[in-house]
Amino acid sequence: MKPIHIGLLGVGTVGGGTYTVLKRNHEEIARRAGRDIVITMIADKDLEKARKLADPSVIVTDNAHEITTHPDIDIVVELIGGQTIAKDLILEAIAHGKHVVTANKALLANHGTEIFAVARAKGAIVAFEAAVAGGIPIIKALREGLTANRITWIAGIINGTANFILSEMREKGLSFAQVLEQAQKLGYAEADPTYDIEGIDAAHKITLMSAIAFGIPVQFSKVYTEGITQLTGEDIRYAEELGYRIKLLGITKRVEKGIELRVHPTLIPMRRLIANVEGVMNAVVVKGDAVGATLYYGAGAGSEPTASAVIADLVDVTRMQTADPMHRVPTLSFQPDLLSDTPVIPMEEVETAYYMRMQVIDKPGVMADITRIVADYNISISALIQKEASADSNTVSIIMLTHLTVEKNINAAIVRIETLSVVTGKVIRIRIEELKD
Ligand code: NDP
Ligand code: HSE
């Protein structure tokens, strides 16, 4: 059978890995796909880099449009990133009858609805396994493996850079800045690393997973997002003392009022497997009503792990492209005309448990003042600890864990606690997830 011709846009970390792995495992991949999958054209701004990587038979250009419009290209692989040029190129490729594989979660979280609709109208496939959790085949699991289930929640460590930073800070006591620099050198971080540390990248990924899990449109604007920049070594240590580990989690849940969609640092009981996922590794727990909790684990970023997901998509598209578009696996798992309008609920209405730490002047009545405020908002305390004062300070840390409570009540209580004259500074608040049911 005639080989499938691939045009590769961008040979940076992921594009370079994709070329290398496809070349190395070429024969085995062809046996799976049923035909050869060959990269025949490459576009990169840096022609020298592209020429160094590619075999002489590959056409190298710095004009990506040559590829997206070329009649001999069957599948365009977009690995440039960003939301402007990448979007134009993907739309142009689709308009020219090509299928698309991309790792670009930022683009799909923001413009997925438009891109998927254009692709559907043209009978084109847009595949994006590499966009979520690097090498872990979580899109395939959600879209195909778990289709019998009514999914109730997903919780994932889905940003390798943030997890790498938290692990290195905890294990080696390194500073935030030191570890971020390392993650950038290793090719884990986004072009703009604030996406990683402010939770935006994780928000892109949980948006995509939520759409596939619940059959709702891709709604990035509705995600509540909080990153790891405010986390201190002190809270990481106190959490450990209480039997928890702090992770940046992407969470989406089906609850009575709608869908929760959020990213924030989270205390997870240390005994959960996911609490022990360290470094650049990612893990996603998916709870389905039939299967129960399932856990997917693997490298969440990096050249070859991400290439593994890109190439899996290439094989899938190669296998599926001859099928009638009506009988292909739907992009978001649910049939596109059967998406649900279940609302994403505002963060203020979300119910979780909380860890709070406050610095207070060590004198009688302080604890009573604080607990009175908490009681006024119907917040039930599950643990309350006062740390010993250091020799050179008259303040102590109070750590409070709560039972499940509504976010708006915690917010209101924090505002009042911070007005107490005995409380110095801001109250630190981190959400807790038990991840058991
Ligand atoms: P890189 O920055 O390493 O690679 C992007 C490449 O595209 C660079 O070689 C860049 O050239 C080239 N490029 C930029 N603009 C153009 C253009 N107009 N035409 C042709 N080439 C261009 O990024 P990554 O490989 O890390 O990421 C690529 C995508 O994969 C992003 O969407 C990212 O979010 C996603 N992703 C990345 C992962 C990772 O671990 N790195 C994991 C999962 C997804 P130059 O360097 O000269 O600008
Ligand atoms: N910057 C991302 C991360 C790359 O660190 O997880 C993988 O999507």
Side-chain angles (χ1 to χ4, degrees):
M1 211 187 280
K2 177 178 160 291
I4 283 276
H5 289 166
I6 310 297
L8 178 58
L9 314 183
V11 282
T13 305
V14 184
T18 299
Y19 188 88
T20 307
V21 175
L22 194 53
K23 185 174 167 184
R24 189 172 70 227
N25 297 343
H26 171 253
E27 243 178 72
E28 195 121 342
I29 290 166
R31 281 171 55 214
R32 292 192 169 112
R35 59 205 282 193
D36 271 352
I37 298 178
V38 186
I39 294 176
T40 54
M41 293 182 84
I42 289 181
D44 199 281
K45 284 202 299 196
D46 185 343
L47 283 174
E48 209 178 307
K49 177 170 69 179
R51 286 203 184 102
K52 220 162 129 191
L53 174 80
D55 292 339
S57 59
V58 178
I59 298 167
V60 171
T61 174
D62 57 3
N63 177 7
H65 298 282
E66 270 182 36
I67 295 182
T68 48
T69 58
H70 200 290
D72 293 344
I73 294 296
D74 302 302
I75 307 175
V76 167
V77 179
E78 183 280 307
L79 297 172
I80 289 174
Q83 295 179 50
T84 49
I85 299 164
K87 183 181 175 198
D88 294 345
L89 289 167
I90 286 177
L91 292 177
E92 187 170 63
I94 294 169
H96 283 81
K98 291 157 199 347
H99 302 294
V100 171
V101 171
T102 179
N104 195 334
K105 55 266 169 161
L107 178 63
L108 294 182
N110 283 287
H111 302 284
T113 304
E114 177 193 346
I115 292 170
F116 299 149
V118 171
R120 195 159 58 249
K122 278 293 280 184
I125 302 166
V126 177
F128 54 93
E129 182 66 68
V132 181
I136 305 175
I138 186 65
I139 299 295
K140 198 160 187 80
L142 286 171
R143 196 155 53 189
E144 298 179 43
L146 296 172
T147 46
N149 289 266
R150 192 173 152 81
I151 291 172
T152 44
W153 56 262
I154 300 175
I157 294 174
I158 45 179
N159 183 270
T161 302
N163 203 50
F164 181 69
I165 291 173
L166 291 179
S167 298
E168 296 285 293
M169 280 173 72
R170 190 179 61 79
E171 285 168 9
K172 301 187 185 151
L174 296 176
S175 77
F176 194 99
Q178 267 175 315
V179 192
L180 175 58
E181 202 185 316
Q182 236 178 303
Q184 286 175 294
K185 279 198 190 124
L186 289 163
Y188 303 154
E190 294 302 302
D192 176 357
T194 55
Y195 275 41
D196 298 291
I197 60 181
E198 294 296 359
I200 302 161
D201 176 71
H204 292 147
K205 294 166 178 168
I206 197 72
T207 299
L208 293 169
M209 286 198 284
S210 183
I212 297 171
F214 302 124
I216 57 172
V218 174
Q219 298 170 79
F220 175 66
S221 61
K222 306 258 173 80
V223 196
Y224 172 83
T225 307
E226 201 180 296
I228 58 169
T229 50
Q230 304 302 317
L231 279 182
T232 63
E234 214 174 349
D235 291 310
I236 294 173
R237 270 197 316 279
Y238 287 151
E240 295 268 317
E241 282 175 29
L242 291 161
Y244 291 91
R245 194 148 288 166
I246 301 181
K247 295 289 181 188
L248 182 69
L249 283 193
I251 298 170
T252 188
K253 276 189 194 176
R254 195 200 300 257
V255 294
E256 219 172 284
K257 292 183 199 156
I259 305 288
E260 292 180 8
L261 192 51
R262 50 193 167 101
V263 171
H264 49 71
T266 314
L267 271 78
I268 317 172
M270 245 188 277
R271 61 186 180 280
R272 302 268 176 268
L273 281 174
I274 193 171
N276 296 285
V277 171
E278 302 294 356
V280 74
M281 304 309 276
N282 279 195
V284 182
V285 184
V286 183
K287 176 84 191 286
D289 66 339
V291 72
T294 54
L295 173 68
Y296 307 84
Y297 169 83
S303 182
E304 293 206 1
T306 313
S308 160
V310 170
I311 297 167
D313 272 348
L314 285 176
V315 172
D316 253 9
V317 175
T318 302
R319 288 167 171 165
M320 267 201 297
Q321 52 138 16
T322 50
D324 156 16
M326 289 303 292
H327 296 99
R328 291 181 188 146
V329 178
T331 310
L332 295 179
S333 184
F334 289 74
Q335 296 300 331
D337 53 341
L338 294 176
L339 293 191
S340 141
D341 58 3
T342 311
V344 173
I345 62 174
M347 193 61 198
E348 287 259 292
E349 299 300 329
V350 165
E351 216 180 50
T352 69
Y354 294 85
Y355 159 104
M356 289 195 281
R357 176 172 63 81
M358 52 207 92
Q359 205 62 23
V360 302
I361 295 168
D362 191 12
K363 66 178 198 183
V366 173
M367 201 68 104
D369 287 348
I370 293 168
T371 52
R372 197 170 311 116
I373 292 176
V374 166
D376 284 350
Y377 291 96
N378 209 18
I379 297 164
S380 169
I381 297 169
S382 65
L384 192 56
I385 299 159
Q386 179 175 321
K387 301 307 262 186
E388 273 175 34
S390 60
D392 55 354
S393 161
N394 67 339
T395 66
V396 291
S397 291
I398 288 181
I399 290 140
M400 185 186 288
L401 303 190
T402 76
H403 288 294
L404 283 186
T405 185
V406 181
E407 175 106 357
K408 67 180 169 211
N409 289 354
I410 282 283
N411 290 345
I414 288 176
V415 169
R416 271 187 57 199
I417 291 170
E418 285 176 349
T419 61
L420 293 173
S421 59
V422 288
V423 174
T424 65
K426 290 275 183 205
V427 174
I428 306 294
R429 175 269 310 272
I430 308 176
R431 298 166 189 87
I432 304 174
E433 290 288 338
E434 294 295 329
L435 300 182
K436 61 170 190 245
D437 45 28

